[in-house]
Amino acid sequence: MSNKDLSKQIIALVGGESNVNSVFHCATRLRFKLKDNGKADKAALEKTPGVITVVENSGQFQVVIGNNVAQVFEQIMKETSLQDAEKNGKEDDSSESTGVLGKAVDIISSIFSPILGALAGAGVLKGLLALILSLKWISATSGTYLILNAASDSVFYFLPVFLAVTAARKFKANQFVSVAIAGALIYPSVITAVGSTESLNFIGIPIVLVNYSSSVIPIILAVWVQSSVEKWFRSIIHESVRNILVPMFALLIVIPLTFLAFGPVGSLISEGLASGYTWLYNLSPLVAGAIAGAFWQVFVIFGVHWGFVPIMLSNIATLGYDTMLPILAAAVLSQAGAVFGVFLKSKNTQLKALSGSSTLAAVFGITEPTIYGVTLKLKKPFIYACISGAIGGAIIAVGGARAIAFSLPGLLALPTYFGTGFAWAAIGIVVAFVLAVILVFVLGFDDPEAAATENASRPFVNQEITEIDKEMIFSPLTGTLLPLESLPDEAFATGAMGKGIVIEPSSGVLTSPVNGTVTTVFPTGHAIGITSEGGAELLIHVGVNTVKLKGKHFHKKVQEGDKVEQGQLLLEFDVDAIRAAGFVTATPVIVTNSAGYLDVLKNTGTEARNGELLLTLIH
């Protein structure tokens, strides 16, 4: 569908414009803060043409679009009265608590994501310029080099100014005052004084001068403090002079404090991050490369990859290079190789088309369409890509490859790796890509509709058209609904056991979700298996690792082989006692034979009540 139609469809399926607190976008996703996530039809959104997947993370309802996200977002702005939350500093307008890690990731992503394009583009240009200079195509004293070097280096040199703008939006501070603070940090006379041996002081307090060009943390700390200073002065200064006096006091207080405290402390933090990473890397480059290459895309899935951006930038600012970025290129190209393998092997026309376009995006560093649209859904290709990324990353790390500028890991970033270990970077990237293609093509995967394609190719003779058959699964517990991916148990969270949903129980009364037969009752009572009359094989597993309780706090009410009716009591357990013992009580309800169904539709609400509809199985 067109971008206009897609934007209308998305707004309707997130619960309408009235259900949206705020919305902005990053490189591939629309990031909504909804008033009630339960009003959004996640299942319908994921099936909408043009939507790759939907992710609920860090308090955000994220609709993954891919490279076309900016055009879809622009249509949303035209078709609704909503405003760009990122530009208006409102992207965190949500009362939902996301935890310390979630808030930290949200802050970092909000500050860095708007400038990643400029950083990546300038980084590639900087790498190309270094390559051209080494080949002696231009002279370092020529006017051509002077202009191109300024074009490629300005973003990095004036990085505090760029971060001042995005941090001001995030912390709701005056953007122009924030830029003035950043400008003071890199003011020409200040930069000159850094190299001077003369000691300076501010009203008698010694000043520790640091070169703040290309720095990251000092300006973020300064703008954060600025937002509080401005808020306090706005509350006590009369509105007739507020627009003049509040900026004056902010500049008067924050700039000296930054030079005296936040700046040196921020620089120490930056240097500490760079030194800490370098120390870990030097312990064993091979292990560091293998781990980063294998798990980088896992970090992307959970959104915590943003936490590494300040470390990379700090490495480049303090060391002049970063060793993590070339390793991550292997992780990215391995996903590109895996999805290309799917493109070559799949017999599903739609999957083949999606894989082809996703390959191109992944090669240039955008892997979210690849992950959510193809490899993660198929599971095996994602695993093959992680293995290939680990091997490629280890090769790159052992070879000592370095990035001289920041850029998004991908094929376009190759010029930024020119210099030490460049050949190893190229070898590692090729190995990661080719090995992923081979693993996917040779070991294969479950082609989702290969069988359907076979049936469709047969002559249409005496085929009966039947209605879609559905089976209802009712909730065995009362509590809060959570996605399967939230469970801290890989076997369940990855869907390896089957599709399903998680209930965080508010009481310990567990009833049968269907009419059927009890096929399994674990001796410890923590898990029960049931086969419904319709053939659905269900596993209800109370908590994570609760088998270690050896039956304590569990009271079984049925035995294997018992015929049960929907709503019949199966098990009682002491929720509070299990939690007090240090165990997670979140309970997955899994359809272990979900591969035999066309789809497993989940309750889109946030709460489950015993006996209410939980899952719908489509035959």
Side-chain angles (χ1 to χ4, degrees):
M1 62 179 70
S2 68
N3 292 332
K4 183 177 180 179
D5 292 337
L6 178 57
S7 67
K8 289 181 178 180
Q9 184 83 340
I10 290 171
I11 291 298
L13 292 176
V14 297
E17 187 177 340
S18 61
N19 192 42
V20 179
N21 266 328
S22 64
V23 59
F24 67 110
H25 76 90
C26 58
T28 58
R29 311 179 186 200
L30 295 170
R31 296 173 177 265
F32 289 92
K33 289 289 183 70
L34 302 181
K35 295 175 183 177
D36 182 2
N37 282 18
K39 291 182 179 179
D41 192 338
K42 185 177 178 181
L45 266 170
E46 289 178 330
K47 293 179 180 178
T48 301
V51 174
I52 295 170
T53 192
V54 177
V55 180
E56 293 184 69
N57 190 19
S58 300
Q60 296 177 348
F61 191 86
Q62 303 172 7
V63 182
V64 183
I65 304 294
N67 296 338
N68 203 35
V69 66
Q71 289 73 29
V72 176
F73 179 79
E74 183 180 350
Q75 287 298 324
I76 289 176
M77 294 295 100
K78 289 180 179 178
E79 300 295 325
T80 69
S81 59
L82 298 170
Q83 295 182 334
D84 186 342
E86 188 273 322
K87 285 186 177 178
N88 292 283
K90 296 179 180 179
E91 67 267 26
D92 60 347
D93 284 349
S94 174
S95 59
E96 183 177 351
S97 174
T98 58
V100 175
L101 179 60
K103 289 177 180 177
V105 169
D106 179 56
I107 288 172
I108 294 172
S109 65
S110 298
I111 291 173
F112 284 96
S113 61
I115 63 172
L116 277 185
L119 283 171
V124 173
L125 182 57
K126 196 176 183 71
L128 286 172
L129 188 59
L131 178 60
I132 292 170
L133 190 64
S134 68
L135 294 173
K136 297 182 179 180
W137 290 355
I138 60 173
S139 168
T141 59
S142 67
T144 302
Y145 177 81
L146 178 69
I147 292 174
L148 292 179
N149 186 55
S152 65
D153 197 48
S154 62
V155 176
F156 300 100
Y157 186 87
F158 294 106
L159 185 58
V161 176
F162 289 83
L163 293 175
V165 174
T166 56
R169 290 175 182 173
K170 181 62 182 176
F171 299 129
K172 300 180 182 178
N174 185 314
Q175 292 183 32
F176 297 102
V177 174
S178 301
V179 169
I181 294 169
L185 292 179
I186 54 177
Y187 197 69
S189 58
V190 172
I191 297 296
T192 301
V194 171
S196 173
T197 57
E198 182 182 354
S199 61
L200 300 173
N201 66 76
F202 177 79
I203 58 174
I205 304 172
I207 302 173
V208 180
L209 285 175
V210 177
N211 188 338
Y212 293 111
S213 62
S214 302
S215 63
V216 174
I217 296 177
I219 187 60
I220 295 176
L221 291 175
V223 175
W224 176 58
V225 173
Q226 174 204 343
S227 66
S228 298
V229 169
E230 288 179 341
K231 183 178 180 181
W232 188 78
F233 276 109
R234 277 197 299 267
S235 69
I236 64 170
I237 295 177
H238 192 269
E239 62 182 10
S240 61
V241 291
R242 188 178 294 158
N243 289 341
I244 299 172
L245 295 185
V246 171
M248 184 196 77
F249 282 118
L251 291 170
L252 184 62
I253 293 171
V254 177
I255 290 178
L257 279 177
T258 302
F259 279 109
L260 295 171
F262 314 137
V265 169
S267 293
L268 285 174
I269 293 172
S270 296
E271 290 173 6
L273 290 172
S275 299
Y277 167 75
T278 303
W279 177 77
L280 288 172
Y281 176 85
N282 289 336
L283 279 180
S284 175
L286 187 146
V287 174
I291 292 175
F295 292 103
W296 177 249
Q297 296 301 335
V298 178
F299 297 154
V300 170
I301 292 169
F302 291 102
V304 298
H305 61 300
W306 289 106
F308 293 92
V309 174
I311 297 176
M312 298 170 191
L313 291 171
S314 294
N315 285 340
I316 292 170
T318 58
L319 304 174
Y321 63 86
D322 176 66
T323 56
M324 192 186 304
L325 283 165
I327 296 170
L328 303 184
V332 169
L333 268 296
S334 68
Q335 289 291 335
V339 77
F340 186 61
V342 173
F343 169 77
L344 294 175
K345 192 174 181 68
S346 178
K347 296 179 181 178
N348 182 313
T349 305
Q350 289 184 339
L351 181 59
K352 206 174 187 69
L354 178 60
S355 300
S357 61
S358 296
T359 300
L360 187 62
V363 164
F364 293 121
I366 306 297
T367 57
E368 287 170 306
T370 297
I371 296 171
Y372 293 121
V374 184
T375 59
L376 192 60
K377 282 186 175 181
L378 298 177
K379 297 183 181 64
K380 289 180 181 178
F382 184 81
I383 295 170
Y384 301 151
C386 290
I387 294 170
S388 303
I391 295 171
I395 291 171
I396 292 169
V398 170
R402 300 174 175 181
I404 59 172
F406 180 88
S407 187
L408 296 177
L411 204 60
L412 284 177
L414 269 177
T416 66
Y417 311 148
F418 183 75
T420 304
F422 176 78
W424 288 101
I427 292 170
I429 287 172
V430 170
V431 167
F433 181 88
V434 173
L435 181 59
V437 174
I438 293 172
L439 288 175
V440 171
F441 197 81
V442 174
L443 299 181
F445 54 91
D446 298 325
D447 204 358
E449 293 185 11
T453 305
E454 279 182 20
N455 292 334
S457 64
R458 294 173 184 170
F460 187 74
V461 180
N462 295 328
Q463 292 186 11
E464 295 183 1
I465 300 175
T466 60
E467 293 184 0
I468 294 176
D469 191 15
K470 298 187 294 186
E471 181 175 358
M472 308 296 188
I473 308 298
F474 298 92
S475 179
L477 292 164
T478 295
T480 303
L481 285 175
L482 300 169
L484 201 60
E485 296 81 11
S486 67
L487 207 64
D489 185 303
E490 187 176 354
F492 290 119
T494 60
M497 298 290 292
K499 295 181 180 179
I501 199 166
V502 175
I503 304 173
E504 180 61 66
S506 56
S507 67
V509 177
L510 192 153
T511 60
S512 178
V514 292
N515 295 332
T517 304
V518 178
T519 51
T520 306
V521 179
F522 282 75
T524 55
H526 73 287
I528 291 179
I530 302 174
T531 299
S532 73
E533 291 178 348
E537 298 173 6
L538 306 174
L539 173 64
I540 307 169
H541 192 289
V542 180
V544 176
N545 292 327
T546 46
V547 65
K548 295 180 181 179
L549 289 170
K550 298 181 180 179
K552 190 177 181 181
H553 310 308
F554 291 93
H555 306 285
K556 297 176 288 185
K557 302 298 181 180
V558 291
Q559 297 177 349
E560 289 184 12
D562 286 356
K563 298 286 186 181
V564 293
E565 296 181 357
Q566 188 270 316
Q568 180 178 332
L569 181 63
L570 302 180
L571 176 70
E572 289 182 337
F573 56 96
D574 192 329
V575 178
D576 295 333
I578 294 171
R579 289 172 183 161
F583 291 88
V584 173
T585 54
T587 301
V589 180
I590 305 294
V591 183
T592 57
N593 63 336
S594 55
Y597 294 88
L598 290 177
D599 206 350
V600 177
L601 304 180
K602 305 165 190 174
N603 185 331
T604 58
T606 57
E607 300 293 327
R609 293 188 179 277
N610 205 302
E612 290 186 355
L613 181 63
L614 183 70
L615 301 170
T616 303
L617 311 185
I618 308 298
H619 290 275

